[in-house]
Amino acid sequence: MKLETYQNIVNGELVHSGHSYQELANQYGTPLYIFDEASFRKRIESYTANFHSDLFETQVLFASKSLLTKAIAKIIAISPLGQDVVSAGEIFVGLAAGVKPDKMYFHGNNKSDEELVYALQNEVGTIVIDNRMEASRLEQIAEKLNKRPKVLLRINPGVEAHTHQYIQTASLDSKFGESIFDEQIFEFITQLHESQFLNFVGFHSHIGSQVFDRESFFKASLAMMEFAQTSQEKTKYRITEINFGGGFGVYYTKEDQPFEMAEFLPEFVQNIEKESVRLGLKLNKICIEPGRSLVNASGSTLYRIGDLKDTVSGKHYLFVDGGMSDNIRPALYQAQYEAAITNKITEPATIEYTVAGKACESGDKLIENITLPQAITGDLLLVNGTGAYNYTMASNYNRLARPAMIHIDGAHHRLTVKRETFEDMMKNELD
């Protein structure tokens, strides 16, 4: 398993910033989500420093869907980041933690009237309109509330990212956004410009998630800017803001080859500057929306190994006390991970295991075919790279309680999400 900067080996045992995983397990229990604050803050600093332009305002927005707790939102609130939200619930958490609403961008392909009212009443800074029906509903709500929100239109540039089909978002048949190839789109854009109750300023696009091809982002950004130029020519109205989305790939296993964001972002901004000047655009602001690439490497999940079983076909099962209820990604779209037995980190890896969870599903396998040292019941298995889309997609399937989460910040660690109890799982149920 590739170790993160905050992990090292002490006396044959893997530790996190000097903290023994065995001691953490004893204190907080397992399964346990572990989040490293120091590396997250460092990444925030790097992203905001490198996504910078002298031509226009720049804004890095944290994609809340990747990981959102009150503790995470509090870090966002005191950082330069804005917040990308996709529900009233995410808005609520951000506001509760002190995130300024004018730094929020509200996305989603089926926002309810209640959510739009909530966003406007709480002065959410930008609404990203997904489709024509939403635009009409938002306009009516804004009129009733005597508001004029700033809005972007999500467009679909038809740039297909090389990633799993479940996390592609800009193919021509995507559920998200309006296609730039729709012959009537400029009529729609003109209506947005001329609305008395919507302050339409520009476009948003997002090509997908876990994208490793740098060129996909350059192609998509050029398509966005060329479309903005065409829009200006067709409608005679200026485009002043473009949100280029996120989707930057991260490391999970040796097959993943992410590019260095500290190198990519300045090049990306320079290319936007050059192309916007060439196309005659006079943008005031550009945004990106990283989520996974900000938090994933800061997160890991600690499990306790239970039973082990060998099948007649020769498969060696290693069962852990969690599974698809705390990490649905392997079952959902065949996500892959690396792992290590923390108390045997220096021992030779000799057995090929399938790491499986305890949910009553044959597909509840966290890792297929991983070579580890000989495991015994009670050993601790650590899976790295679980900062994104693990906690936020967790469930109570089989009435399994969601794990606790702790934050580690150098010499200090603290509980940030309590472990669920049986009573917690039934608190909304009535006789």
Side-chain angles (χ1 to χ4, degrees):
M1 180 179 78
K2 175 186 173 184
L3 300 187
E4 295 297 336
T5 56
Y6 47 81
Q7 294 171 326
N8 63 312
I9 300 170
V10 178
N11 297 326
E13 181 182 359
L14 185 63
V15 300
H16 184 136
S17 298
H19 305 287
S20 162
Y21 283 108
Q22 183 64 61
E23 292 177 359
L24 294 173
N26 291 343
Q27 180 172 350
Y28 297 108
T30 57
L32 180 66
Y33 292 126
I34 301 172
F35 189 81
D36 186 76
E37 279 193 13
S39 60
F40 180 40
R41 288 194 174 97
K42 186 175 181 180
R43 219 168 282 117
I44 291 173
E45 292 173 3
S46 176
Y47 275 55
T48 53
N50 287 294
F51 188 69
H52 172 77
S53 171
D54 293 328
L55 286 186
F56 25 66
E57 180 185 353
T58 54
Q59 178 70 71
V60 179
L61 305 165
F62 173 61
S64 300
K65 62 183 178 179
S66 61
L67 177 62
L68 188 62
T69 64
K70 192 172 184 179
I72 291 293
K74 281 189 171 183
I75 297 174
I76 302 306
I78 61 175
S79 79
L81 296 178
Q83 187 183 8
D84 157 1
V85 294
V86 296
S87 70
E90 290 187 349
I91 296 172
F92 178 84
V93 173
L95 293 175
V99 177
K100 294 180 179 178
D102 63 357
K103 294 175 67 177
M104 292 183 179
Y105 280 61
F106 186 19
H107 295 264
N109 67 297
N110 190 32
K111 307 176 190 71
S112 69
D113 287 355
E114 292 77 15
E115 286 180 308
L116 292 172
V117 168
Y118 183 76
L120 295 188
Q121 288 179 334
N122 284 281
E123 306 296 336
V124 167
T126 306
I127 310 293
V128 182
I129 294 171
D130 180 82
N131 56 71
R132 290 165 169 80
M133 289 184 69
E134 180 186 307
S136 177
R137 289 189 297 111
L138 178 59
E139 194 170 32
Q140 294 173 29
I141 291 169
E143 181 179 7
K144 289 180 182 178
L145 296 178
N146 195 28
K147 303 282 188 179
R148 190 169 184 264
K150 187 184 86 169
V151 301
L152 299 176
L153 173 64
R154 179 162 184 167
I155 59 172
N156 184 335
V159 177
E160 295 197 11
H162 297 287
T163 187
H164 194 284
Q165 62 178 346
Y166 286 8
I167 48 180
Q168 289 179 356
T169 56
S171 58
L172 292 178
D173 58 356
S174 171
K175 77 171 190 176
F176 298 107
E178 294 283 352
S179 173
I180 66 172
F181 303 105
D182 184 338
E183 295 179 356
Q184 298 178 329
I185 193 168
F186 296 111
E187 178 182 343
F188 177 38
I189 293 170
T190 299
Q191 293 171 357
L192 292 175
H193 276 297
E194 295 179 351
S195 171
Q196 299 179 53
F197 304 103
L198 303 177
N199 176 23
F200 175 66
V201 297
F203 302 115
H204 165 268
S205 179
H206 180 71
I207 61 173
S209 296
Q210 193 60 354
V211 180
F212 295 110
D213 181 13
R214 288 163 45 106
E215 290 306 308
S216 293
F217 296 103
F218 286 103
K219 289 177 182 177
S221 65
L222 179 58
M224 290 279 287
M225 288 184 285
E226 288 178 338
F227 180 75
Q229 179 202 39
T230 303
S231 175
Q232 290 185 159
E233 292 175 350
K234 296 279 190 181
T235 68
K236 308 305 179 185
Y237 289 102
R238 181 181 161 204
I239 296 300
T240 61
E241 181 174 335
I242 299 180
N243 183 331
F244 294 99
F248 312 112
V250 302
Y251 181 94
Y252 285 101
T253 68
K254 292 179 180 179
E255 284 69 38
D256 299 325
Q257 300 294 324
F259 47 82
E260 287 293 331
M261 293 300 295
E263 297 175 4
F264 168 78
L265 289 175
E267 293 179 21
F268 189 57
V269 171
Q270 290 167 13
N271 188 68
I272 293 170
E273 291 175 337
K274 181 187 70 175
E275 293 299 332
S276 65
V277 170
R278 180 181 67 84
L279 293 167
L281 297 176
K282 296 181 180 179
L283 299 175
N284 293 337
K285 185 176 183 179
I286 62 171
C287 306
I288 55 170
E289 295 172 338
R292 186 197 315 265
S293 63
L294 276 172
V295 295
N296 196 63
S298 294
S300 53
T301 307
L302 186 63
Y303 301 97
R304 195 175 295 279
I305 296 172
D307 291 337
L308 297 103
K309 181 170 68 176
D310 300 332
T311 68
V312 293
S313 65
K315 183 182 286 288
H316 304 294
Y317 275 107
L318 182 160
F319 299 138
V320 294
D321 55 356
M324 65 188 297
S325 56
D326 61 76
N327 184 359
I328 192 65
R329 295 184 67 253
L332 184 61
Y333 38 71
Q334 300 80 55
Q336 298 183 354
Y337 291 89
E338 295 178 344
I341 299 177
T342 64
N343 52 304
K344 295 178 177 177
I345 191 68
T346 59
E347 295 185 15
T350 57
I351 301 178
E352 187 175 272
Y353 289 106
T354 290
V355 178
K358 60 185 295 173
C360 192
E361 292 286 338
S362 297
D364 182 20
K365 300 173 184 176
L366 292 177
I367 307 175
E368 287 266 19
N369 306 325
I370 180 173
T371 305
L372 296 168
Q374 172 73 59
I376 63 172
T377 298
D379 284 342
L380 295 175
L381 185 79
L382 185 77
V383 180
N384 269 357
T386 64
Y389 301 106
N390 282 235
Y391 172 79
T392 56
M393 299 175 81
S395 74
N396 289 130
Y397 183 56
N398 287 167
R399 288 294 187 173
L400 295 172
R402 291 181 179 88
M405 182 184 296
I406 65 170
H407 281 209
I408 298 179
D409 193 3
H412 307 285
H413 53 81
R414 71 188 193 281
L415 186 68
T416 56
V417 178
K418 295 190 299 182
R419 187 174 304 280
E420 279 188 327
T421 65
F422 296 146
E423 290 76 18
D424 291 333
M425 288 188 283
M426 289 185 64
K427 64 184 177 183
N428 292 327
E429 299 183 18
L430 305 176
D431 293 332

